[in-house]
Amino acid sequence: MAQRIRKAVFPVAGLGTRFLPATKAMPKEMLTIVDRPVIQYVVDEAKKAGIEHFIFVTGRNKAVIEDHFDVQVELEQTLIQRQKLDVLEELRQDLPKAGRTSFTRQQQPLGLGHAVQCARDLVGNEPFALLLPDMIMKSPTGCLSDMMEIYHKRQGNVVALEEVPMEETHKYGVVKKGPRQNGSVEIESMIEKPAPGTAPSNLILSGRYILQPEIFDYLETQTPGSGGEIQLTDAMIKLNNDQEFSGLIFKGTTYDCGSKSGFLEANIAYGLDREDLAPQIIDHLRELVTSYDLKQAS
């Protein structure tokens, strides 16, 4: 029987340079999609999948993330006094249970692999989930929940995959897929940012992972790779020689909220999900599109 996945790691130490000046003093993970921080959507996905312990790998100027997942006594008292109990209940539902969050520091920006390695002592000797905190993956069931089903069928390691045009594969970690089994694909090999025209497929690693603890042994000795950073994919390539990797081809919609376009698209998509906001948003979008078309035509 597969060992249960209880813990998830969220690497939130990134500087958010793609979003300057907004992220000069505000962590990119705390930028809001409608009225919820980006990180809250990712944590909610993990909770839905059964995660019990939430491990955040932070950096300087990230204390507000810790505050967000804590009780705000003054705020709660004010909501009680104003009889806004529905808002109070919603805030409380967002919080992990007491003692179920841990925070550790990545003192230097040495890459995703290094950030994961920083969580080693908190994860311990058990398999864990890893969720990239600026990737919101929207689907009815939840990407990590679907990955959990594959994990319990096949065990080993599981990654989320998405299809991209072949001409864009040089930007990502790419997999060579094997046969389909139990709703997943077997992964034969991986490569980090292949040279244009050399990718083994158009399936890229997409921000969600279930990894066995042996990954830490490879990360400990991993030399810098692409961009001079410790690359998680390089360590997974080595782990793949010893353990099986399965891939879930994600069929939902991914919003890269670390990019301006992805952030704006996510706000529109989640705004349209809201009955109290959708009519105004639709009307305004129609006006904007009409105005844009007229400008282009003139």
Side-chain angles (χ1 to χ4, degrees), residues 15-28 31 260 263:
L15 298 175
T17 53
R18 290 187 290 175
F19 254 103
L20 289 170
T23 50
K24 181 179 178 182
M26 171 69 71
K28 63 177 180 178
L31 298 175
K260 297 179 179 69
F263 178 77

Side-chain angles (χ1 to χ4, degrees), residues 59 150 189 204 212 259 261 282:
I150 292 172
S189 61
I204 65 167
Q212 295 296 318
S259 73
S261 60
I282 291 172

Side-chain angles (χ1 to χ4, degrees), residues 49-203:
I51 295 298
E52 300 172 356
H53 193 142
F54 306 84
I55 301 169
F56 298 87
V57 181
T58 71
R60 287 180 290 278
N61 301 320
K62 299 280 186 169
V64 68
I65 297 176
E66 189 168 351
D67 292 339
H68 176 73
F69 290 103
D70 197 1
V71 174
Q72 298 288 344
V73 177
E74 297 84 356
L75 175 60
E76 290 199 355
Q77 290 175 344
T78 299
L79 292 173
I80 292 170
Q81 291 169 3
R82 297 179 180 177
Q83 292 296 301
K84 294 187 175 182
L85 302 184
D86 55 337
V87 178
L88 176 61
E89 180 60 26
E90 184 178 351
L91 289 177
R92 287 177 172 173
Q93 288 179 356
D94 287 344
L95 293 178
K97 293 181 180 179
R100 299 292 178 87
T101 55
S102 298
F103 296 84
T104 188
R105 281 287 186 97
Q106 182 188 21
Q107 285 96 346
Q108 295 177 284
L110 298 179
L112 175 59
H114 181 260
V116 174
Q117 180 68 4
C118 290
R120 180 172 193 164
D121 288 347
L122 292 170
V123 171
N125 190 32
E126 57 184 284
F128 65 99
L130 169 66
L131 297 91
L132 300 194
D134 50 6
M135 305 291 287
I136 294 182
M137 303 183 76
K138 192 173 188 287
S139 72
T141 54
C143 181
L144 187 60
S145 295
D146 293 342
M147 291 170 64
M148 289 287 197
E149 290 189 15
I150 292 172
Y151 169 75
H152 287 294
K153 291 176 183 176
R154 299 195 61 182
Q155 303 184 39
N157 305 271
V158 184
V159 295
L161 303 172
E162 288 194 72
E163 295 179 311
V164 301
M166 285 297 294
E167 60 268 22
E168 295 183 12
T169 52
H170 66 281
K171 304 175 185 177
Y172 306 99
V174 182
V175 305
K176 180 180 179 182
K177 64 179 181 178
R180 288 181 178 266
Q181 293 186 28
N182 296 323
S184 64
V185 295
E186 181 180 326
I187 293 176
E188 295 183 356
S189 61
M190 291 171 267
I191 182 171
E192 177 68 14
K193 296 181 179 178
T198 65
S201 76
N202 69 332
L203 290 174

Side-chain angles (χ1 to χ4, degrees), residues 219-287:
L219 287 170
E220 188 172 11
T221 59
Q222 184 63 52
T223 56
S226 177
E229 298 181 336
I230 304 298
Q231 296 291 342
L232 176 65
T233 305
D234 291 340
M236 290 197 302
I237 290 170
K238 295 177 182 177
L239 181 61
N240 192 205
N241 293 327
D242 301 324
Q243 296 182 0
E244 287 190 0
F245 271 77
S246 304
L248 166 76
I249 301 179
F250 181 60
K251 295 300 185 182
T253 303
T254 298
Y255 297 100
D256 178 5
C257 294
S259 73
K260 297 179 179 69
S261 60
F263 178 77
L264 292 171
E265 290 166 4
N267 267 287
I268 293 170
Y270 280 90
L272 291 174
D273 283 344
R274 293 269 297 263
E275 293 182 1
D276 59 327
L277 299 175
Q280 302 97 299
I281 294 173
I282 291 172
D283 289 343
H284 190 55
L285 285 174
R286 284 174 178 154
E287 292 175 6

